Amino acid sequence: MLASLSLAPVSLTPCLPRRRFMFRWILALLALTALAGCASGPQFDTLAARVVSKQPITLPADATLEVQLTDESTGDVLASSRYERLGQLPIPVTLQYAPEAIDIDDIYRLSAQIRSNGRIAYLSDQPVSVFGRDDPSEPDIPVVTTGADSTPTEESATSP
């Protein structure tokens, strides 16, 4: 004797809101992940160097130092750093640059200048090569005096 079984229809309706919720949650996580990648911005590498001189130099209180990384092939300045309250040479410096801007076939140089009282008091007379095969990873940038007196004269102090 066979018993007849009757099965009541199963409704999937109670599961749909839960699935929709999970689907929306997954979409939201994917969107946040994509936005986090965009929000991180460009990535930069750091180039460390030192500004040096042959003899110790104590710089005036108003002295400022600017160091530039230049692509000699194009003339573009790829990075620049400015420092104040310098004290005495040597001075460690860092420059942040975009690594994708570096082309191994181009020539890159560091240069430095120290200003005091509105005049260039010291500068690198020979730019220093970087990123080349034989170039040091943390180069020294030698500076020499320009001969410009960094102390104000009576004439420049009284002129308008």
Side-chain angles (χ1 to χ4, degrees):
M1 188 165 138
L2 290 173
S4 75
L5 285 176
S6 89
L7 296 173
V10 177
S11 171
L12 297 177
T13 308
C15 293
L16 284 178
R18 185 175 298 155
R19 285 186 181 168
R20 284 186 186 151
F21 175 77
M22 289 300 289
F23 182 71
R24 288 181 182 159
W25 181 250
I26 291 170
L27 281 178
L29 284 175
L30 288 173
L32 284 174
T33 303
L35 287 175
C38 294
S40 66
Q43 298 299 313
F44 292 98
D45 282 352
T46 301
L47 175 62
R50 289 184 331 149
V51 176
V52 299
S53 67
K54 288 184 179 180
Q55 62 271 3
I57 298 171
T58 300
L59 298 165
D62 73 328
T64 60
L65 165 65
E66 185 172 0
V67 180
Q68 291 186 335
L69 171 63
T70 307
D71 181 341
E72 294 293 309
S73 306
T74 63
D76 294 338
V77 175
L78 303 178
S80 179
S81 289
R82 183 180 164 98
Y83 297 86
E84 298 176 350
R85 295 186 280 289
L86 304 174
Q88 189 171 3
L89 294 176
I91 300 169
V93 296
T94 58
L95 293 112
Q96 302 289 314
Y97 66 93
E100 63 272 5
I102 304 301
D103 181 348
I104 60 169
D105 295 327
D106 287 353
I107 298 169
Y108 300 93
R109 307 250 193 248
L110 287 174
S111 61
Q113 64 175 297
I114 299 172
R115 291 180 169 269
S116 178
N117 196 35
R119 299 179 181 157
I120 299 173
Y122 300 90
L123 58 80
S124 52
D125 60 346
Q126 295 293 318
V128 176
S129 180
V130 291
F131 303 132
R133 183 181 329 203
D134 298 326
D135 296 332
S137 59
E138 291 190 23
D140 284 347
I141 309 168
V143 293
V144 296
T145 183
T146 61
D149 185 5
S150 63
T151 57
T153 62
E154 274 188 50
E155 183 179 301
S156 66
T158 58
S159 59

